[in-house]
Amino acid sequence: MPHTVDAPVSRLEVLPVPGNHQTMIEPPHVETPARHLTTCLRRIEDAAPESSVA
């Protein structure tokens, strides 16, 4: 379950990922942060006004 924290600039989500600081960017763990990042980027793209999407 994601945690949200109010930040002065934007919203921060802390998401669980397998592995540790070093192994989370190696297979098979890297699939989870990659999936989280893809989801976040799609959310940003979907929220952007039509004129700002290239």
Side-chain angles (χ1 to χ4, degrees), residues 6 15 19 25 27 33-35 42 44 47-49 53:
D6 289 331
L15 302 168
I25 59 170
R35 188 170 51 253
R42 285 187 179 143
I44 291 167
V53 178

Side-chain angles (χ1 to χ4, degrees), residues 31-52:
E31 293 174 15
T32 301
R35 188 170 51 253
H36 287 318
L37 182 57
T38 299
T39 299
C40 291
L41 292 173
R42 285 187 179 143
R43 212 180 294 153
I44 291 167
E45 186 178 66
D46 292 344
E50 201 61 37
S51 61
S52 68

Side-chain angles (χ1 to χ4, degrees), residues 3-42:
H3 299 282
T4 58
V5 177
D6 289 331
V9 177
S10 64
R11 198 173 100 200
L12 171 68
E13 289 185 42
V14 178
L15 302 168
V17 295
N20 62 37
H21 183 75
Q22 294 173 333
T23 63
M24 69 181 227
I25 59 170
E26 298 174 356
H29 304 305
V30 72
E31 293 174 15
T32 301
R35 188 170 51 253
H36 287 318
L37 182 57
T38 299
T39 299
C40 291
L41 292 173
R42 285 187 179 143

